[in-house]
Amino acid sequence: MTDAQVPIEFTDAAASKVLTLVTEEENPALKLRVYITGGGCSGFQYGFTFDEKINEGDFVIEKQGVSMVIDPMSLQYLMGGTVDYTEGLSGSRFIVNNPNATTTCGCGSSFSV
């Protein structure tokens, strides 16, 4: 897939943090799993976890020797978005910049479409 065909961006900052965390865990099989669940103050909530498995239908992006996986149901809500990592006064965290979100909560972890 070319960059123009990839439905979601995995930034260098996010990939670098995943690489750091995977290295610390000493488990190169770990992948960052990004998912959407119901809940949060705006209706849907972003979730991040580490997973060793790639399930059937998962979308996989590899960068800097690490992988980000997204299940098909979550991917439909994340199309055109960006998964990034940020460090600042409010702490450090993975974030999703989602063009499909019509409203978000103040903390940025939940949204509605």
Side-chain angles (χ1 to χ4, degrees), residues 5-46:
Q5 296 171 316
V6 175
I8 186 166
E9 183 183 351
F10 185 28
T11 68
D12 289 336
S16 180
K17 185 60 178 181
V18 171
L19 180 59
T20 298
L21 294 170
V22 167
T23 301
E24 287 174 2
E25 288 295 316
E26 298 179 356
N27 185 352
L30 290 175
K31 297 145 188 57
L32 176 66
R33 179 170 292 279
V34 180
Y35 59 94
I36 303 293
T37 60
C41 50
S42 294
F44 293 102
Q45 198 163 1
Y46 302 114

Side-chain angles (χ1 to χ4, degrees), residues 9 24 34 48 56 65 71 73 79 81 88 100-101 104 107 109-110:
E9 183 183 351
E24 287 174 2
V34 180
F48 303 93
E56 185 175 333
D71 66 90
M73 192 277 307
M79 297 289 278
N100 304 304
T104 60
C107 68
S109 66
S110 71

